[in-house]
Amino acid sequence: MRIRNVVQLHTVNRLQAFGWPLIIMSLSLSLVLIVGALVVGVGGADARTGMNTGMQWNGAIFALLGPLIGFGFTAMGQYFPLALGLGLTRREFAAGTALVFVGNAAFYAVVVTIGKVVEVATGGFGLGVRFFDTFYTGIGAWWQTLVQTFLLILAVMLVGAAITTAFHRWGQSFLWVFWIGLAAVVLAVVAGALLSDAFRAAAMDVLGMGWGGWMVVIAGFAALGAAVWLTLVRRAQAR
């Protein structure tokens, strides 16, 4: 199988594959450091403590995670038709792309984990800021961040690939069904939370489950995305 050719197809543009995500991450981190320096300079130690607590939900890390989330869409939207045009089989493309997904998830999980270790060891780079040490990437031990970030990146890439492959298979009608179905689920959840005490209690139990439980949920989404993607890619039309 020509898996290596598929990997090369995804990574031939080194700047797009690795450079820009890291450059954008560095710019976002620089902005966080500047804001942190201004806050500490004006508010002192009390402001530093409050900022450190509040930034547990800081979404600046999505400057890195955002492009990776979209990678699953571009893999099928751009590279799938190109791969078929170059004579690669669907099985070769799926195997090579899955390898790239795993490699990307592992590489950037290591990057985020190293950043978190440095950030925690230096007290938020001496300013109390949080960039890597957030709820999205894990605020526990470093190995939890490694596992959580890996699973999160892998899951969103696989789900993104599955959605795009379904679009290749069924066209615009799938998007209508998908978005209407998603809106219906969200509406049902919101209505249940507002109207039912039992539903609210159950929802709080789910939200309050431990780190391990959430990792199982994320891994489940990754497995579901992989199953749908690998099933549909056999018959999806290149658009």
Side-chain angles (χ1 to χ4, degrees):
M1 295 181 67
R2 294 167 292 179
I3 296 177
R4 181 177 180 181
N5 299 85
V6 179
V7 175
Q8 290 175 336
L9 179 66
H10 285 294
T11 59
V12 64
N13 188 333
R14 298 290 192 275
L15 183 61
Q16 180 178 343
F18 304 106
W20 281 118
L22 295 177
I23 291 172
I24 295 173
M25 181 196 74
S26 300
L27 292 174
S28 182
L29 175 59
S30 299
L31 180 61
V32 169
L33 292 175
I34 291 172
V35 172
L38 291 174
V39 170
V40 172
V42 173
D46 291 340
R48 180 182 185 279
T49 301
M51 180 175 60
N52 182 261
T53 301
M55 290 185 75
Q56 292 180 92
W57 293 96
N58 173 35
I61 189 62
F62 281 96
L64 172 64
L65 299 182
L68 299 177
I69 290 172
F71 188 81
F73 294 96
T74 59
M76 289 302 301
Q78 296 181 6
Y79 293 113
F80 177 62
L82 179 59
L84 297 187
L86 293 174
L88 295 167
T89 67
R90 295 167 186 268
R91 179 173 295 183
E92 289 169 340
F93 178 79
T97 302
L99 183 61
V100 172
F101 284 173
V102 173
N104 268 344
F107 174 75
Y108 289 108
V110 170
V111 170
V112 171
T113 302
I114 293 174
K116 183 224 177 99
V117 170
V118 174
E119 182 175 288
V120 172
T122 58
F125 303 103
L127 299 170
V129 298
R130 288 177 184 257
F131 183 80
F132 299 101
D133 187 27
T134 66
F135 274 104
Y136 311 109
T137 55
I139 58 174
W142 66 268
W143 62 267
Q144 291 180 318
T145 291
L146 182 66
V147 172
Q148 181 170 330
T149 307
F150 173 80
L151 290 176
L152 177 63
I153 295 174
L154 184 61
V156 295
M157 286 192 293
L158 288 169
V159 171
I163 292 172
T164 310
T165 308
F167 170 73
H168 282 305
R169 181 69 177 86
W170 291 298
Q172 193 72 28
S173 59
F174 164 76
L175 293 181
W176 281 105
V177 172
F178 175 79
W179 289 115
I180 292 174
L182 182 62
V185 171
V186 172
L187 181 61
V189 171
V190 172
L194 293 176
L195 302 176
S196 172
D197 292 336
F199 185 91
R200 280 198 301 272
M204 292 305 297
D205 289 339
V206 172
L207 292 175
M209 66 182 177
W211 178 84
W214 278 110
M215 294 307 100
V216 172
V217 171
I218 296 174
F221 274 108
L224 178 62
V228 173
W229 171 51
L230 294 175
T231 299
L232 294 179
V233 76
R234 301 173 185 174
R235 298 178 181 175
Q237 300 298 317
R239 294 177 181 267

